[in-house]
Amino acid sequence: MAEATSKFTPRIFSGIQPSGGLTLGNYLGALKRFVEKQNEGIETIYCLVDLHAITVWQDPEKLRAQTREAAAGFIAAGIDPKRSILFNQSQVPGHAQLAWIFNCVARMGWMGRMTQWKDKTAGKNAEAESLGLFAYPSLMAADILLYHATHVPVGEDQKQHLELTRDIAMKFNHDYKVDFFPVTEPVIEGAATRVMSLRDGSKKMSKSDPSDASRINLTDDADTIAQKFRKARTDPEPLPEALDGLKERPEAKNLVNIYAALADMTAEAVIAEFGGKGFGTFKPALADLAVARLAPIAEEMKRLMADPAEIDRILGDGAERADAIAAPILQRTFDIVGMIRSRG
Ligand code: TYM
């Protein structure tokens, strides 16, 4: 473990926005790995970040439904709400409270340099975006540091936000002359840290892409999954005999990485098996594998969503357990900053 986090007990935190349905990108880049971390026996805290979701407009009823659906997705994928803490962010007030303190630690320039902020405002009038969207990374730092989390598994697109989290922790520690917040380690591992669109190998697979064919949704049934892989955009060449041959072939590379991640293999091993074979062979194999891995998750999600009260109960229980960890850390933060806390 890295020096800066060594005095802290290993603890994992990560989050997903319930701003749409979960995709294969969320699954391979995050959720599947959340389950692996849970099963390694490390303390794991997973959060549906509804406060982040509303940095862009969300219909209230849809947000509620998507939060429940995401919770069902976590459980169906293997998160055990007894072993992991699973909750929605807004039920633990410390996230917003610590975010405010971090808003006063972080600098405007740091936020303005975030590529996600730049991407989300590209070609638009940034002045018309919400203040919350600009401050988004500061709330993300609060999510993580509220629990003194030491490790954060994420996909590659979150790397810069995690660097900012480290900067905020270091600036806080420096300004207040304390060694209070850990300098968190990002954990970006596996064959599919950046799953690309099935229609365009230069674009990230995303829940907000207008084309449903560009992504696999965790709720897609077996036929839909198979059909989307069969129709995925590729080039006409067979798969190369060595990994190097995928360099200039983003669509082919993406499908190989997806196969590798779903099968728990390396991309090298996939190429060793399929090198020289055409997509007429590879796509059906990938579709079968994806259906075998994903269709049972969709089925289980459906079953879980039939009982929303039980999902709400699980989220409430998770929030209570999260709050119990967060409260003393928040209390100490207020002390460090110089706030009077005398309500008993
Ligand atoms: P979000 O909701 O966009 O995505 C959730 C997780 O899924 C990963 N991911 C992907 N991985 C590989 N390929 C893709 N195409 C792909 N799309 C999404 C993301 O990297 C992420 O790990 N800001 C975060 C949510 C957040 C958070 C946190 C994460 C809020 N607070 C604290 C970690 C710790 C976000 O928007 O993720």
Side-chain angles (χ1 to χ4, degrees):
M1 188 151 311
E3 184 62 23
T5 57
S6 57
K7 79 164 195 168
F8 297 92
T9 315
R11 180 179 284 153
I12 289 196
F13 180 95
S14 201
I16 292 190
Q17 291 194 71
S19 49
L22 297 175
T23 69
L24 181 64
N26 295 135
Y27 178 66
L28 295 178
L31 190 46
K32 182 170 182 287
R33 297 173 44 233
F34 296 174
V35 176
E36 288 162 8
K37 296 292 169 204
Q38 166 193 275
N39 295 345
E40 283 169 21
I42 312 170
E43 186 177 5
T44 42
I45 306 177
Y46 297 126
C47 185
L48 305 167
V49 292
D50 47 11
L51 297 173
H52 278 107
I54 61 162
T55 56
V56 296
W57 170 251
Q58 303 291 332
D59 175 84
E61 278 316 313
K62 277 194 194 150
L63 178 62
R64 229 185 311 274
Q66 283 161 192
T67 305
R68 291 191 180 117
E69 187 183 288
F74 271 61
I75 299 165
I79 294 298
D80 173 353
K82 291 205 172 63
R83 279 197 286 162
S84 292
I85 293 179
L86 175 63
F87 71 109
N88 59 308
Q89 190 184 28
S90 59
Q91 292 210 67
V92 178
H95 291 254
Q97 290 172 289
L98 187 58
W100 181 260
I101 291 177
F102 288 168
N103 283 345
C104 303
V105 172
R107 307 287 95 180
M108 301 266 286
W110 298 4
M111 302 291 154
R113 279 194 289 277
M114 292 294 107
T115 52
Q116 290 216 341
W117 161 255
K118 289 194 217 162
D119 290 350
K120 281 188 178 164
T121 53
K124 290 197 220 159
N125 175 12
E127 301 281 309
E129 296 299 335
S130 75
L131 186 54
L133 187 66
F134 189 63
Y136 180 116
S138 168
L139 176 59
M140 186 161 157
D143 297 341
I144 296 165
L145 296 174
L146 184 59
Y147 302 95
H148 277 185
T150 55
H151 294 80
V152 182
V154 282
E156 207 174 278
D157 60 346
Q158 296 302 316
K159 193 168 174 215
Q160 198 187 26
H161 285 158
L162 292 185
E163 278 160 12
L164 190 97
T165 299
R166 294 164 64 90
D167 288 342
I168 290 177
M170 286 191 281
K171 187 167 185 326
F172 182 97
N173 288 345
H174 176 266
D175 289 355
Y176 290 101
K177 300 186 177 52
V178 288
D179 181 17
F180 184 61
F181 286 117
V183 180
T184 304
E185 297 287 331
V187 185
I188 302 173
E189 299 168 331
T193 54
R194 190 172 177 81
V195 178
M196 308 309 282
S197 154
L198 299 180
R199 306 304 306 161
D200 177 350
S202 69
K203 270 175 38 188
K204 190 180 74 170
M205 182 180 286
S206 160
K207 48 197 155 208
S208 56
D209 193 312
S211 160
D212 191 61
S214 72
R215 64 177 160 267
I216 304 289
N217 305 299
L218 229 49
T219 47
D220 284 346
D221 62 21
D223 287 346
T224 312
I225 296 169
Q227 198 185 36
K228 284 181 179 173
F229 276 117
R230 273 201 305 273
K231 288 195 176 155
R233 191 173 143 191
T234 45
D235 55 48
E237 303 296 318
L239 284 173
E241 303 281 352
L243 207 56
D244 236 24
L246 287 174
K247 261 193 188 144
E248 307 295 321
R249 300 176 60 189
E251 282 91 9
K253 184 175 172 189
N254 188 38
L255 295 188
V256 167
N257 285 341
I258 291 174
Y259 191 104
L262 283 170
D264 293 312
M265 293 163 72
T266 60
E268 284 90 342
V270 178
I271 287 298
E273 192 172 330
F274 290 98
K277 301 208 168 97
F279 285 104
T281 306
F282 183 61
K283 277 183 173 179
L286 174 57
D288 285 351
L289 173 66
V291 167
R293 293 290 151 93
L294 302 175
I297 298 179
E299 289 273 303
E300 180 62 4
M301 278 175 82
K302 222 191 251 170
R303 197 187 66 76
L304 291 164
M305 281 181 319
D307 190 356
E310 174 60 9
I311 294 180
D312 291 3
R313 191 200 61 74
I314 288 169
L315 293 176
D317 174 65
E320 262 178 42
R321 285 152 60 209
D323 201 32
I325 299 172
I329 294 175
L330 189 65
Q331 174 69 47
R332 178 78 190 110
T333 309
F334 281 128
D335 285 347
I336 291 169
V337 173
M339 310 260 165
I340 294 169
R341 311 279 285 171
S342 54
R343 278 176 49 187

